[in-house]
Structures are given as C-alpha cells and as structure tokens.
Amino acid sequence: MSDSIKYTRRDFMKFGSAAGAAAGALGLSSSRLVAMEQELGGKDYSATTGAEREAVPYTCLACNIEDGGVAYVENGRIVKLEGNMDHPNTRGKLCAKGNSGFLHVYDPDRIMTPLLRTGKRGEGKWKRISYDEATTLLAKKLREVIDRANAEQKPEILNEMVFKWGRDRTGGAVGRFMHALGSNAMLNHTNICESSKKVGLEPSWGPDIESCDWANTKYILNFGSNVLETAYFMNPNAQRLVDGVVGNKAKLVSFDVRMSNTSGFADEAYFPYPGTDGVVALAICHVIMNEGLYDADFIRDWTNVTAEQLIDHLKPYTPEYAAEESGVPAKDIRRIAREFATTKPATTFSYRGPCKHIWGSYQEAAIHMINVITGNVEKKGGYCLPRGMGWPQPEPVPPKGKAPSVIAAPPLYPLASHHVSTHAPYMIKKGEAKVSVWMTYYDNPVYTYPSSHVWKDMLSDEKQIPFYVSFSPYMSESTELADLIIPDVTYLERHDPESMPSGLYPCLSIRQPVIKPLGGTQEFRQTLIDVIHKVDADGSLGIKKYFAFNTVEDWMKAHFDNIPGLKEDGGWSHMKKKGVWPIYGKVDKETAKIVDKNGNEVEPDYGLYTKELSASDMFGAEIESDGTIRKDGHAIGIHVNGKNMVGFGTPSRRIELYKESFRKYGFNPLPVYKRLPSRDKKADELVLTTYKVNVHTQSRTASVKYLAELYHKNPAWINRKTAAARGITDGDLIRVTSAVGYIVTRAHVTEGIHPDVVAISTACGHSAYGRLAQLKQREQAPGYAQGGDADIANNVWWNDKGVHPNPIIRLAVDPIGGSQGWFDTVVTVSKAEPGDKYGDTNVSLEVSMKDYEETLRYAYTGDIHRAKHQEVDVDWSNLPEPALHTGGH
Ligand SMILES: Nc1nc2c(c(=O)[nH]1)N[C@H]1C(S)=C(S)[C@@H](COP(=O)(O)OP(=O)(O)OC[C@H]3O[C@@H](n4cnc5c(=O)[nH]c(N)nc54)[C@H](O)[C@@H]3O)O[C@H]1N2
Ligand SMILES: Nc1nc2c(c(=O)[nH]1)N[C@H]1C(S)=C(S)[C@@H](COP(=O)(O)OP(=O)(O)OC[C@H]3O[C@@H](n4cnc5c(=O)[nH]c(N)nc54)[C@H](O)[C@@H]3O)O[C@H]1N2
Ligand code: SF4
Ligand SMILES: [Mo]
C-alpha cells in the first residue's frame, strides 16, 4: 500500500505563520479588494491625450472558458483588455491569459498570408499566395473528391475529406461546411480533453458537466480539478470558489496527486494514488447509504434505482478497501462522507484528475452519485445542471453525410459519443480509413497528443495524407507539416456566436472584430464561404445554398436577430454593443453579487428539473404507474407529489444512475472501481502525471511574451523521498523513461507530490510555434510573418524553454468514454546518463503502434474487457450493433 499524505490548513499555519497571517488578512478585507478593483471598470483613457478610448466588447478565447471582455482601442490598435462588467459570470475580471490576449494579435511570428509549400513536407519552404488563390486550390481538391464519389456513386468516398479541430467555437460553422460537402469525417480533440467525464455524466442526467453553486455552498469536495488555475470555467469558478470559501465559510476538501494551487487553498488536501478517486467516491457513497444519511425522497422520486439496490451494489466498497487502493485513510473517508451528507448545501466538483484514466467514465459516475444520493442536485449552493443558451442555425441546414465515418466513430467504442480522435492515425496507418484532404482548425496534435510522434509520422507521409490544409495563424508543430496554410485571424478580429455555461446565469455572447483584421488577413468563416462558393460555383451541386451569406456579419445576424427576448432588446445590434445578453443587473462593488436597480441580488433559478409541464405539454400524454409521463412514445416528464414536472434529459426523465447503455455493451451499469495497470506497477516505477498551469493554454501561449516571462520551464516534480532513493537532488538532469522512450529534463524536488508520482506541466518545450516559444528570438523573422518585436529580441532574460512530455506518454483509452488515459503512463526516473543533454527525446514509433493494439484489448469486444467483466450479465454471442455517431463537437 502506498503512503498517503494529508495537509490541513492548520499545518500550513504552523509551518508558515507569515503565509497564514497573509491569508487571514486577505479574508478580512476581500470585499474591499473587490470594490477597489472594480471601481474603474468599463472605461479607459488615453495616457497621452486623456481622451476616452473606444471600448468594444468581445468574448475571450485565450482559453476555452469564453469570458466576456472589453477591448480598448486607440488609433486602431488594441491597447488594453479587461473583463466585461455586463457578463454575469465573468463579472469584470479576466485572468492573466485573457489580459495579455492582444499579444496573440501582435505576435511577430503570426502568419499574415496564405502559404503554399514549395520544399519537402516540414522543410519550411513556402510561397506566399493570395486568399483567392488558396481558396481556389482547396476548392479544386475538394471538388475532385466529390466528383469521384458521384462518378462511382459511393458516398463513403466523401469521408475522404476529413476535418480535425481542437477548439471549435464557430457555433456550428465547421459542421455546416462538412455536411454541405457530404462528409461525416469530423474529429475533435475531446478524447484528449475530458470525454470520459462527459460520458460518465450524460447518460445519467443529460448534460456533460455540472455547474456548482460555489458561492452559496457550505462544503466542496474537489476531485482532481485545479479550479483556481485551470479547470473548466476557471475564471468564473475560481471567483465563486473564493466567494464560497472566504465569504460563505464553505469547507473545501481537495483530492489531487500533487499540491495544486487549489489543494493548497483547501482546508484538507489528500493525495490519492493516481486513478483511485472512483473507489474513494464509492466508499463515500457506501458510508452515506449504510449509515442512512441519504436523501430517501430524492432517490425514490428522481432516480432509476432504489436505496436497497445501491446499498447492495456498494457493499464491497468499504472505506477500508478504498484506503487500501487509494492510500486515503479509512477514518478520513468515513468522516468526509458524514460531513458531506450532513452539511447542506454541499457539492462535488471534478475535472480531469479522475476522468483521464482508462476507466475514467466509472470514476466520474461515482463522484456524480455522491451528489445524487444526498439530494444536492439543483439546490441553492448545490450541484446544479449547466445553464447555456442556444441560437438557431440559418436555414437551410445541410443534412449529415450519407455514409458513416469509421474514424469519426470507431465501431469498437460505441459509447464514446465525443469521438476517439487519438485513434485516427493508427486507423489510417492500418488502412481502415482513407484520406484525400485533411483539414485542421485550432489543432496541434504533433504537440498536444499522447505519443505525439505518431501524428508527426502520419502528417509527414504524403501517402497517408495526400493533401493537408491548416487554417492556423501560427506555425505550430503540426501546421509546419501542411501543404497549404490559409491563416485565420485571431479571436479579437473575428465573429463567433457563444454561450458557455460558466455560471448559474445562462447567457449568449459574441466574438466580433475589435479592430480590422491586420494586414488583409481573413476570417476563417469567410474562407469557408469562399471555398463552398468555389466548389459549387454554379450551384449545380446543391451545396452553395447552405452558404448563402454575403458577409460574415450576415451569418451572425441570422443567428441572433430572431431570438425571442433578444429580438426585442435589439438582436444583433444589442450583441455588438454589449457583447452579452441578457443583462442581469450590475456587479455590486461590495459583494461582487449581481444586483438589480434597487441593489437586491438577482438570484439564479434553481430546481430546473421541477419546472411544471403546461396543459398543452400534457395534452395527449399518459402518466404511467411509476409516474413517468409519456407522450407519442417518449417520456416527457415525471408525475411527483401531484405535480407534472419536466425531470432530467434522459429517456426516463429521471437521473439514471443505472445506465442501460453501459450494460448493453458489457460494462457495469452502475459505477464500479477497476484497478488500473498503473496501480500494479513495480515498486521502483512511478506514474507520470501532466498538468496545466494558470498562465498558459495548451500549445498556444508559449509565444505570448508576458506569459512566457512568467512561466517558461517545466521541471519534473518528484517527491523528496523518491528523489533521495534515486540519488536525485533539486535541479539534477534526469531521464524519465516509459515503454515508448525517454526524455531528459530536470528534477524539481518537493514535498508536495505523491511519492509514486512524477508530474510535468504542459505548455513548454516547443519545437515550433514561433521564435519566442523556441527561444530563437534573435533569429530573423520568417518571410510570411508579421515582423520583429524589439522587446522580444533584446529583453528575454531566460534561456530554458522546458521539455515537452507528450512523446513518452502512452496511448491508453477508456473503453467506455473513449478518453485518453493521460495519467496512466508508468515510467522510471533516474539520473541522466553520461552524454544526455537537456531536452533529448528518444521515442519508438513501433512501441506506440503496439500500444494501440494493447488499448483495443480493453474495448467492448476485447479480451481484457471480457475477462474482467464476467460479473455483468451480457450475451457475448449476440452483442448489439454499435451506434455510429456522426457529426461533431
Ligand atoms: N490556465 C489554464 N486553464 C485552463 C486550460 C489551460 O490550458 N490553461 N485549459 C482548459 C481545458 S481545455 C481543460 S480540459 C481544463 C482542465 O482543467 P483541470 O482538469 O483542472 O486541469 P488539469 O491540469 O488537466 O488536471 C487537474 C489535476 O488533476 C491532477 N491529477 C492527475 N491525476 C490525478 C488522479 O488520479 N486523481 C486526482 N484527484 N487528481 C489527479 C493533476 O495533478 C492536476 O492538478 O482547464 C481549462 N482551463
Ligand atoms: N500531456 C498532456 N497533454 C495534453 C493535456 C494534458 O493534460 N497533458 N491536455 C489536453 C487538453 S485538456 C486539451 S483540450 C488539448 C488541446 O490541444 P489542441 O486542441 O491541439 O489545442 P491548442 O494547443 O489549444 O491549440 C491548437 C492550435 O490552434 C491553432 N490556433 C491558435 N490560435 C488560433 C486561431 O485564432 N485560429 C485558428 N484557426 N487556429 C488557432 C494553433 O496552431 C495551436 O497550436 O491538449 C491536451 N494535451
Ligand atoms: S479563464 Fe482567462 S483566458 Fe480563459 S476565457 Fe477567461 S479570461 Fe480568457
Ligand atoms: Mo481540455
């Protein structure tokens, strides 16, 4: 059994009285700090003339939280960004990444013109061409595929046009483009992001995430999310977490394998063995159920299981068993379970720590269950449904393609409704899918994927990828392998519709050009319009009608001009002026709450599932004996306590803790704990974890100078005892070796990490992405780029760009949610060998290909899966056909 460590707030006070005193002072005066900070929000003045600067609202995309911002523009240049005070979830604050976002626009290495490859792939030889020439070339390549599909009457040929994106915030533009072309071959990055969280939640209650009412809660259990510096909804959640802990005296208990900034802020921090959060959560449920601390009414009325069934299912998950697996002491698990169940309201939050493991979907489902059995769902201060808003797609909307795409929906992952994008290069290499045109948007797999060399190998091979088009404005590790680059503009120069459920106030927001796109660059959306107009110049293919927009602004108007409520408030012109809708009220300077004209708090709506069905909803409906309200064959609500209510977004309108879809494919319908291969590692091995840091976003901020100055190197965190056993001291050159190969980096020796874990942050160690990211800042700017920045050329004082861990991370996918097990790679850590140089990376393509075969063994038809799932009653001879999901997210 592994050692477990626990720190309490009292320990920190004891060990660092200065830090303790500072925290105390902050607690006393936090509302004053808020007030000072927000006093001047909403206006800005020129430092030279004193004139008021032009203020243009927009939605941030320096990371994907989509906070509301205001850009201040002087003489056509963005001089400052700040939070939009009208955005109810952002509340006037941006983080460091958001504040420095204008440097994306003025990045000296930004690609300012379309580029056509002239040398070998990746050689860096380019010819500058016009947008017109570039879109004509792409249209020709696409048309060739369409003509071939039509001539051979094979719609599956259309799937040779593949679109892969990382972050798609176009509000459906990419899907519209691909469906117009007749292709379903769309891949997002969600399986390297958090898809097993989504698949752990969606079948249970509908949406893919929770929205915690942090500010009003009394108890928070955090499982592997780093809310204060990363996590989904980081900025809005971090603000309200502080409101809850400081303002509302909520208790925060945090589980992470290392001392994240969130765990450091917690009242109690636990370091479970990686991949064991699920068993801790199941043990918490075990205690709550066995000690009768559960909400019997909620379980009876709103779930599809009985308390007795749960007690029976949870029998093996005693705190003692969980302690053995996780290292978290049984007495603490018992106490936390009791505290959570008896403190109202309470909520859990979880992000990638639990779900980015091979059995991540079960882990998420187990954590979700804690909230359900204690009846904290949709309560003020509890675990709430996310609140977003939609917008209509302009008519006519193209239908999906006719043939299913196997790379978009691998048949071995029938439950992975968010694609399994990691598998694409392996499937393509094995000839399971054919590609003619590979298009990418906001995507850098050669940097961001596990065993990233496999992507490099595929994208470098013209036989596998005959034509590769990137829409990136930056020369990333992937884009540098393209045949054609048609650069997009940055997020401050383009249009997108937005709605992020980043708080309890649902709202719409927009991105709009806060300045004219620099140097004649063109919005991606305009490129899509142009390409379609060229593919189907005379309209005879029947495609052009789906892109009947004269301008991008017309397209946006079509989204926003007819939304009830917004229409009355001015539709698109309201959005342009305010950036967000509805306006709920003002941010109160003392409390930071949203208040109305009279200073009263505008309370969010709670209890969404209890909304009553109207008489017209009920017309023709039947109430069944178990209370389910059915109409035209579908459950539309539940009859509970004499009321007809909408319930949850599931087939039964109840929370389906028992997931029939899981059972159908031989998985356990209720969450279970599965021991991971990394749990059985040898004593001298470690589990590699990677994590994000507050001032960087994935692969795309290393060239933002303010952020690079703050954080640019990523030594490997290793526990003091673990390091000592290997003769490693702080700053030593070390080798981190997995089955795939090794990297040479430096050690950061610390108490703040589980002794069986080594942790390396992401966002550093670039081999592309401009001169600053690679610390080649004194080199000449490439011909396609924007040009020099004397500050970068002369003032960069650091000489360490870090080392990127992804090449040695093994492909390993959750057979249910299809999510990459980022935190499952077993490694050895040793002092570097003679001749090793910092940054050396040595990996094997062959081993990575074997990892693909190995991970398929877990898939629902795989031998490991069958052997380990005897307890589920499935007829293996007669498995259902997998659903082939098309479309994309
Ligand atoms: N600053 C910043 N914020 C971001 C992003 C960014 O790039 N930068 N990206 C956004 C995106 S795309 C995402 S998906 C989210 C991710 O948000 P998070 O999930 O909060 O962030 P991660 O760093 O991926 O992982 C969270 C933590 O999991 C821990 N961990 C690893 N293994 C385990 C385990 O087995 N159990 C437990 N309990 N913990 C474990 C890690 O140490 C890490 O601190 O952040 C979003 N916000
Ligand atoms: N080791 C390890 N790796 C990880 C993770 C981890 O925890 N550990 N986390 C993963 C997570 S959560 C995620 S979400 C993924 C993200 O991985 P990716 O989706 O690949 O995302 P990014 O690195 O954010 O951006 C991709 C590319 O978008 C392009 N780009 C930047 N700005 C623009 C723009 O304005 N327009 C266009 N068209 N393109 C632009 C750039 O080329 C950039 O390299 O990374 C994952 N990678
Ligand atoms: S968290 Fe920061 S970078 Fe992300 S959207 Fe908000 S302000 Fe922008
Ligand atoms: Mo992500």
Side-chain angles (χ1 to χ4, degrees), residues 64 167 189-190 192-194 232 351-352 692 698:
N64 55 308
R167 186 66 56 199
H189 72 188
T190 309
I192 59 160
C193 187
E194 78 295 61
Y232 240 79
Y351 224 69
R352 295 175 74 253
K692 301 185 176 69
Q698 337 281 22

Side-chain angles (χ1 to χ4, degrees), residues 60-68 90 93-99 233-236 491 697:
C60 188
L61 190 52
C63 87
N64 55 308
I65 313 309
E66 325 303 342
D67 279 305
T90 303
K93 291 179 181 174
L94 301 180
C95 77
K97 294 168 283 136
N99 276 301
F233 317 143
M234 172 252 192
N235 172 30
Y491 71 87
T697 302

Side-chain angles (χ1 to χ4, degrees), residues 500-772:
M500 239 331 176
S502 57
L504 294 169
Y505 300 98
C507 61
L508 292 169
S509 72
I510 59 158
R511 217 162 270 122
Q512 62 179 328
V514 305
I515 52 165
K516 209 166 137 257
L518 291 190
T521 49
Q522 164 170 311
E523 282 191 59
F524 170 63
R525 224 171 250 276
Q526 187 62 51
T527 298
L528 295 183
I529 297 174
D530 293 351
V531 170
I532 291 291
H533 286 198
K534 288 179 179 177
V535 167
D536 188 17
D538 59 5
S540 59
L541 281 180
I543 292 176
K544 202 175 175 181
K545 63 175 182 286
Y546 302 121
F547 283 77
F549 318 111
N550 288 324
T551 62
V552 172
E553 204 170 326
D554 279 352
W555 192 342
M556 292 293 281
K557 278 190 190 150
H559 288 309
F560 287 110
D561 259 350
N562 286 309
I563 295 173
L566 172 58
K567 192 175 176 179
E568 292 68 42
D569 286 347
W572 173 240
S573 58
H574 167 95
M575 294 309 287
K576 280 182 72 154
K577 207 158 100 212
K578 291 287 186 183
V580 61
W581 182 82
I583 310 291
Y584 282 88
K586 278 199 170 335
V587 180
D588 181 82
K589 285 176 197 154
E590 285 296 325
T591 62
K593 287 187 169 31
I594 309 289
V595 294
D596 63 17
K597 281 193 200 103
N598 304 320
N600 298 321
E601 184 182 356
V602 181
E603 273 232 354
D605 284 336
Y606 297 100
L608 299 188
Y609 65 98
T610 59
K611 191 172 159 257
E612 289 188 53
L613 292 169
S614 66
S616 72
D617 292 332
M618 289 302 290
F619 184 76
E622 262 177 57
I623 302 177
E624 295 178 350
S625 57
D626 66 352
T628 312
I629 304 170
R630 219 170 271 282
K631 185 170 159 177
D632 305 327
H634 298 287
I636 60 161
I638 316 191
H639 182 82
V640 176
N641 297 331
K643 288 184 186 158
N644 302 320
M645 299 184 256
V646 292
F648 295 90
T650 60
S652 68
R653 311 306 291 180
R654 291 178 165 81
I655 294 184
E656 300 192 357
L657 289 179
Y658 182 99
K659 296 171 193 58
E660 172 55 24
S661 58
F662 280 30
R663 191 207 56 79
K664 210 163 95 176
Y665 291 99
F667 299 105
N668 205 306
L670 284 160
V672 289
Y673 168 67
K674 293 276 167 203
R675 200 167 226 256
L676 292 168
S678 61
R679 185 69 191 79
D680 294 322
K681 70 173 179 58
K682 298 194 196 92
D684 63 342
E685 292 174 328
L686 302 176
V687 183
L688 173 63
T689 270
T690 50
Y691 63 97
K692 301 185 176 69
V693 294
N694 54 355
V695 301
H696 279 292
T697 302
Q698 337 281 22
S699 75
R700 59 182 204 257
T701 46
S703 268
V704 174
K705 62 182 178 183
Y706 295 175
L707 303 177
E709 181 164 27
L710 287 168
Y711 191 97
H712 42 259
K713 60 179 180 187
N714 59 345
W717 288 29
I718 183 164
N719 188 277
R720 189 174 52 79
K721 279 192 213 136
T722 314
R726 288 158 180 75
I728 294 168
T729 55
D730 196 49
D732 276 358
L733 212 54
I734 54 169
R735 258 195 196 199
V736 183
T737 309
S738 76
V740 179
Y742 67 85
I743 54 171
V744 178
T745 185
R746 287 192 193 281
H748 168 61
V749 176
T750 168
E751 295 285 344
I753 186 163
H754 192 290
D756 284 305
V757 177
V758 55
I760 305 179
S761 72
T762 62
C764 300
H766 277 274
S767 62
Y769 224 91
R771 288 164 296 163
L772 180 59

Side-chain angles (χ1 to χ4, degrees), residues 184-330:
N184 288 321
M186 284 178 262
L187 289 164
N188 59 16
H189 72 188
T190 309
N191 99 307
I192 59 160
C193 187
E194 78 295 61
S195 55
S196 284
K197 176 176 174 75
K198 294 174 187 280
V199 175
L201 291 178
E202 283 164 338
S204 179
W205 73 343
D208 60 356
I209 195 168
E210 67 276 34
S211 187
C212 308
D213 191 8
W214 309 92
N216 295 307
T217 197
K218 279 291 177 194
Y219 201 101
I220 303 160
L221 266 183
N222 167 43
F223 289 96
S225 92
N226 191 2
V227 191
L228 288 187
E229 53 177 332
T230 63
Y232 240 79
F233 317 143
M234 172 252 192
N235 172 30
N237 272 354
Q239 290 184 41
R240 288 179 299 121
L241 172 64
V242 174
D243 288 351
V245 170
V246 178
N248 203 35
K249 304 277 180 283
K251 178 166 179 176
L252 172 64
V253 177
S254 181
F255 294 86
D256 197 304
V257 297
R258 59 182 189 99
M259 185 59 94
S260 70
N261 278 337
T262 308
S263 282
F265 182 68
D267 295 272
E268 292 178 24
Y270 294 90
F271 295 65
Y273 191 94
T276 61
D277 298 72
V279 74
V280 174
L282 289 166
I284 289 174
C285 292
H286 171 107
V287 174
I288 293 171
M289 294 307 300
N290 275 27
E291 298 189 2
L293 302 174
Y294 57 88
D295 185 331
D297 293 348
F298 192 81
I299 294 176
R300 186 195 58 229
D301 295 339
W302 294 105
T303 75
N304 68 343
V305 291
T306 64
E308 293 66 35
Q309 283 168 332
L310 285 180
I311 290 170
D312 190 48
H313 174 78
L314 292 165
K315 235 182 222 140
Y317 301 114
T318 60
E320 284 68 26
Y321 172 64
E324 217 168 282
E325 289 299 301
S326 67
V328 179

Side-chain angles (χ1 to χ4, degrees), residues 440-482:
T440 65
Y441 177 71
Y442 262 99
D443 179 53
N444 187 11
V446 179
Y447 180 93
T448 52
Y449 273 59
S451 289
S452 40
H453 48 283
V454 177
W455 286 86
K456 183 165 186 175
D457 184 77
M458 178 187 80
L459 292 173
S460 306
D461 183 348
E462 288 176 52
K463 284 201 215 76
Q464 293 171 57
I465 305 291
F467 192 67
Y468 169 16
V469 188
S470 167
F471 296 103
S472 172
Y474 304 102
M475 196 61 86
S476 72
E477 284 77 0
S478 307
T479 295
E480 67 179 12
L481 301 173

